[in-house]
């Protein structure tokens, strides 16, 4: 590990000033990703500016919804009564991520800014355009199970690993950012970027800009939200694909409003706007959901290693919406053995590994 | 407060063998204060083991994947391998070695005794992390914190076997003593 100095400024403004004025400085939050990258040599800052103890750690009800301080730990946010009732999909996304210990440590802002788990990005002995621009992409013809299928480029097929970010994207969160020039608000959908020719650029934030809070609007849709994550083992693994979904119905059983976002498919959380449009005003039965998913995948590029994500997205999206439909019908969230219950067309289409 | 002189990129680089930034910290470990001067790169795990001489937390993967370095940090279960010691100045740490309260029978915490009763280990390497994680997990569940497998996010938590397995998924046991670990925690949860 490269030698580094450590500073813990007393205010967010001082932290922003320290990092924005020094290309070698980086913010340190909970450290669950960055400290690992220091060990691996993926990240080599000369100075860490610790923001993890700044008092940006409250969840506050606002007129429009809820404001979440960047230092609120993932476990505390998931368990917060406001989130559990008003934004259950956000709670569920957090609970599907990492482990109990890591959720106690990881912060809200840090979760959004965690880096891809592409094995080549994390292995400094291999070419990676994200880690070392121009060196090439090892994942294109290497281990590709976790590769992106939407919005990727020849330079990079990495996926964004956050579960929280997927739920926040579906529910129209806004990220509050403090920079040297003051505060600005970034819609969650605009926070992360697609790789294009510059996969080393991952967000629309400038060096030294600090996420200080995340705001979520309170909506009837958000109250009817959930999160389904598929993975290679039952727990404590990154998503193969994941789905954040929210749904309200009209009296005739057709979709009044819907929000869908996918994880594990792109360099950023993927808001499935075409699928949403295809389901709005329709009965959300299995054929309609399958067609909407297929429509969203019009521009997708599958490789042999990622072809499995097509049926998995169909199944996971169906499972997420079925879970919500079960809930809307008054059926409990799940059956006693934990399987999704109350689905319109049987449970066979959705298979969430636990 | 900034303990170390600010980095001046245009002047002498701190990234040389001669200049290894160090910092003074205090950690309260199992009830005893330890004043340490650490290389800023030192993890909390290495500070505990190599500097404070507390080898209860174990270095398994050193990458946050196995849970064997788990301690209670300010009362919550926490990895020590993905933590830089300088960022935890003033923290109160309880390792498995310090879990037992004074006068507890055989100097064992009830969760530790349950692990023995239920054969919750074979080689024992993951055990200190498992025990600390279990104690932290029981406290979380007692506060009503839901998990990934909790059906109703707003209902009371019932620590079923499925719940225990999910909540303990951050602690791996390569001997595969999970059945005993589950039994130990089930008993500790009062079931």
């Amino acid at each position: 590990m490269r030698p580094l100095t450590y500073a813990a400024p007393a205010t967010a403004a001082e932290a922003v000033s320290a990092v924005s004025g020094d290309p070698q400085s980086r913010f340190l939050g909970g450290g669950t990703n960055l400290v690992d990258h220091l060990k691996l040599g993926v990240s080599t800052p000369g100075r860490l500016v610790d923001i993890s103890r700044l008092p940006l750690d409250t969840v506050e009800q606002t007129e429009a919804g809820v404001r979440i301080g960047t230092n609120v730990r993932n476990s505390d946010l998931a368990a917060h009564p406001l989130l559990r009732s008003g934004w259950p999909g956000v709670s569920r996304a957090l609970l599907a991520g990492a482990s109990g210990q890591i959720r106690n440590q990881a912060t809200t802002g840090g979760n959004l800014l965690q880096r891809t788990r592409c094995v080549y990005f994390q292995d400094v002995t291999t070419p990676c355009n994200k880690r070392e621009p121009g060196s090439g992409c090892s994942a294109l013809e290497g281990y590709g199970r976790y590769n992106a299928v939407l919005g990727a480029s020849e330079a990079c097929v990495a996926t964004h690993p956050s579960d929280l970010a997927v739920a926040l994207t579906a529910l129209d969160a806004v990220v509050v950012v403090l920079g040297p020039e003051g505060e600005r608000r970034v819609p969650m959908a605009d926070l992360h970027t697609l790789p294009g020719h510059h996969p080393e650029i991952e967000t629309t934030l400038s060096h030294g800009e600090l996420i200080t809070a995340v705001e979520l609007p309170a909506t009837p849709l958000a109250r009817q939200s959930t999160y389904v994550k598929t993975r290679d083992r039952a727990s404590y693994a990154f998503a193969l694909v994941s789905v954040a979904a929210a749904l309200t119905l009209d009296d005739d059983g057709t979709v009044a409003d819907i929000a869908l976002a996918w994880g594990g498919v792109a360099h950023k959380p993927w808001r499935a706007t075409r699928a949403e449009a295809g389901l709005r005003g329709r009965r959300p039965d299995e054929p309609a959901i399958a067609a909407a998913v297929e429509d969203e995948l019009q521009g997708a590029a599958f490789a042999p290693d990622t072809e499995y994500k097509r049926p998995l997205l169909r199944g996971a999206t169906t499972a997420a919406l079925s879970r919500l439909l079960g809930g809307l019908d008054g059926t409990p969230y799940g059956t006693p053995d934990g399987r999704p219950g109350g689905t319109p067309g049987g449970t066979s289409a959705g298979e969430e590994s636990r | 407060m900034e303990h170390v002189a600010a980095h001046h990129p245009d002047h002498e680089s701190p990234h040389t063998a001669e200049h290894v930034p160090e910092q003074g910290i205090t950690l309260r470990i199992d009830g005893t204060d330890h004043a340490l001067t650490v290389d800023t790169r030192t993890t909390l795990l290495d500070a505990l083991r190599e500097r404070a001489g507390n080898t209860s937390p174990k270095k398994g993967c050193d990458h946050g994947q196995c849970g064997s370095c788990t301690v209670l940090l300010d009362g919550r279960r926490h990895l020590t391998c993905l933590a830089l010691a300088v960022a935890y100045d003033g923290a109160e740490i309880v390792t498995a070695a310090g879990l037992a309260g004074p006068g507890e029978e055989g100097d064992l915490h009830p969760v530790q005794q349950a692990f023995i009763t239920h054969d919750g280990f074979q080689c024992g390497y993951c055990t200190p992390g498992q025990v600390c994680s279990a104690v932290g997990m029981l406290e979380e569940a007692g506060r009503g914190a839901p998990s990934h497998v909790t059906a109703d996010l707003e209902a009371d938590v019932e620590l079923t076997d499925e719940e225990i397995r999910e909540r303990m998924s951050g602690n791996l046991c390569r001997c595969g003593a999970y059945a005993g670990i589950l039994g130990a925690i089930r008993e500790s949860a009062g079931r």
Side-chain angles (χ1 to χ4, degrees), chain A residues 126-153:
Chain A
T126 62
C128 169
N129 286 323
K130 180 182 286 299
R131 180 168 29 75
E132 199 179 331
S135 63
C137 175
S138 304
L140 277 175
E141 295 178 4
Y143 177 75
R145 187 166 170 72
Y146 284 83
N147 286 359
V149 297
L150 284 162
S153 70

Side-chain angles (χ1 to χ4, degrees), chain A residues 244-301:
Chain A
L247 183 70
T248 55
L249 296 181
D250 279 326
D251 290 341
D252 63 357
T254 61
V255 173
D257 202 1
I258 184 168
L260 286 172
W262 289 341
V265 299
H267 199 254
K268 61 184 287 186
W270 190 267
R271 183 74 185 258
T273 49
R274 289 173 67 103
E276 291 173 2
L279 285 167
R280 216 166 267 128
R282 295 198 51 179
R283 297 188 74 83
D285 54 18
E286 280 198 41
I289 295 168
V293 168
E294 213 42 56
D295 193 34
E296 187 67 44
L297 291 174
Q298 290 268 318

Side-chain angles (χ1 to χ4, degrees), chain A residues 217-248:
Chain A
T219 62
L221 193 61
R223 296 186 72 87
Q224 299 289 346
S225 59
T226 194
Y227 190 75
V228 167
K229 181 177 182 179
T230 65
R231 32 190 167 176
D232 273 331
R233 60 184 184 189
S235 183
Y236 199 15
F238 289 95
L240 299 170
V241 305
S242 65
V243 179
L247 183 70
T248 55

Side-chain angles (χ1 to χ4, degrees), chain A residues 1-2 4 36 53 235-236, chain B residues 15 40-41 63-64 81 87 169:
Chain A
M1 200 190 298
R2 179 184 178 185
L4 48 80
D36 198 29
R53 295 200 196 188
S235 183
Y236 199 15
Chain B
H15 321 307
T40 49
R41 296 169 292 181
H63 290 283
C81 72
S169 70

Side-chain angles (χ1 to χ4, degrees), chain A residues 155-225:
Chain A
C156 184
V157 288
T159 50
H160 196 268
S162 167
D163 294 299
L164 172 63
V166 179
L168 294 183
T169 298
L171 300 180
D172 294 320
V174 172
V175 177
V176 183
V177 177
L178 183 66
E181 312 298 323
E183 196 172 271
R184 67 187 180 103
R185 283 171 160 67
V186 183
M188 188 60 210
D190 298 336
L191 178 65
H192 298 97
T193 54
L194 291 175
H197 297 300
H198 288 285
E200 74 278 12
I201 299 169
E202 298 176 346
T203 70
T204 53
L205 303 183
S206 305
H207 181 74
E209 281 194 310
L210 176 69
I211 295 176
T212 55
V214 172
E215 294 176 342
L216 272 165
T219 62
L221 193 61
R223 296 186 72 87
Q224 299 289 346
S225 59

